[in-house]
Amino acid sequence: MASEITYAEVKFKNASPTAAVEVPPETKKHERHPQKYPQWLPWLISLLLLLVCIALVITLLVAPSSHRRDQPTALQQNFMEWQCVLAVPQDKDQGWTCCPKGWRHFQKSCYYVSDGMMSWVESVQNCTGMGSHLVVINSKAEQVFLSEELRQSPGDNYYIGLSAEKVGQWHWVDQTALNVTAAFWRKDEPSNKDDQKCVVIHRTSERPNNWNDVKCGRHHRICEAAAVTV
């Protein structure tokens, strides 16, 4: 402020009397008292801009994921009636686990055990059309659960999602290879014959080792889908 006053004094000292008279009062007043913004104003503007940027980033990151959670799954689009069970207490974000009415629930999956029979190709299409797939068995616990569920079922053979394009090269319907540590073949199975490239659970065989490779004809099926959490 002192430097500005000194500058003004020098300027008017060197100016002619006529020039000093001709200067409008408003101009003099403006020059003697220049308008100043508060020193904190630029900091406030910077802070507001920073907050706006943070809000935009949060919106871009959070909103799409929330939108995806709100989208119904293919399974939800196919069924109107659901049965729900309370999830484990540790899972605080999701309180209920739901499956379509008539499906069996285990861990994070829902299972459909068919009454009718279809070929392998028809079975794959049928499960897909319901928003699911032929069951992929990943653990002994899952295998034991399914074997127990089939005890009261009417059929003998139930397709699972395991097949071979070439003899002995077994793959699940999700394109993962068979894990030999989680394989549950019957004794002396698989036969590995060229005309037996589909796999079923044989209901009456000793549990849990009850898989059998068979011809891809008409059998019952087990479909699987991820359970819906709400």
Side-chain angles (χ1 to χ4, degrees), residues 33-194:
H33 303 282
Q35 185 177 359
K36 299 289 290 182
Y37 292 105
Q39 294 183 355
W40 49 263
L41 185 59
W43 293 98
L44 178 60
I45 294 174
S46 300
L47 179 60
L48 291 175
L49 290 174
L50 178 62
L51 292 175
V52 169
C53 292
I54 293 174
L56 288 174
V57 170
I58 293 174
T59 301
L60 291 174
L61 293 177
V62 176
S65 62
S66 299
H67 178 70
R68 287 192 295 270
R69 288 195 298 267
D70 292 339
Q71 293 298 316
T73 64
L75 192 68
Q76 288 174 277
Q77 294 174 346
N78 280 281
F79 297 93
M80 298 296 295
E81 294 186 74
W82 293 73
Q83 294 177 323
C84 301
V85 295
L86 189 62
V88 292
Q90 291 85 354
D91 192 355
K92 296 180 181 179
D93 293 333
Q94 307 292 347
W96 294 86
T97 302
C98 303
C99 292
K101 187 175 181 180
W103 289 49
R104 327 286 177 90
H105 169 250
F106 179 71
Q107 294 181 346
K108 295 183 178 181
S109 294
C110 304
Y111 302 89
Y112 169 74
V113 178
S114 74
D115 293 327
M117 295 189 295
M118 293 181 176
S119 69
W120 167 265
V121 173
E122 292 171 330
S123 296
V124 171
Q125 294 173 345
N126 177 259
C127 291
T128 301
M130 293 190 293
S132 61
H133 54 79
L134 280 175
V135 62
V136 175
I137 300 173
N138 296 304
S139 68
K140 183 177 181 179
E142 186 177 19
Q143 168 69 12
V144 170
F145 165 79
L146 292 172
S147 298
E148 290 298 323
E149 288 294 312
L150 293 180
R151 292 183 67 178
Q152 304 302 322
S153 298
D156 288 329
N157 294 317
Y158 288 79
Y159 275 132
I160 60 176
L162 188 65
S163 64
E165 291 186 5
K166 295 182 179 180
V167 174
Q169 297 182 8
W170 302 105
H171 285 79
W172 294 102
V173 290
D174 62 0
Q175 303 306 312
T176 57
L178 174 64
N179 182 355
V180 293
T181 63
F184 304 95
W185 298 104
R186 293 172 60 191
K187 185 179 179 180
D188 299 326
E189 298 292 345
S191 303
N192 285 325
K193 295 182 179 179
D194 191 58

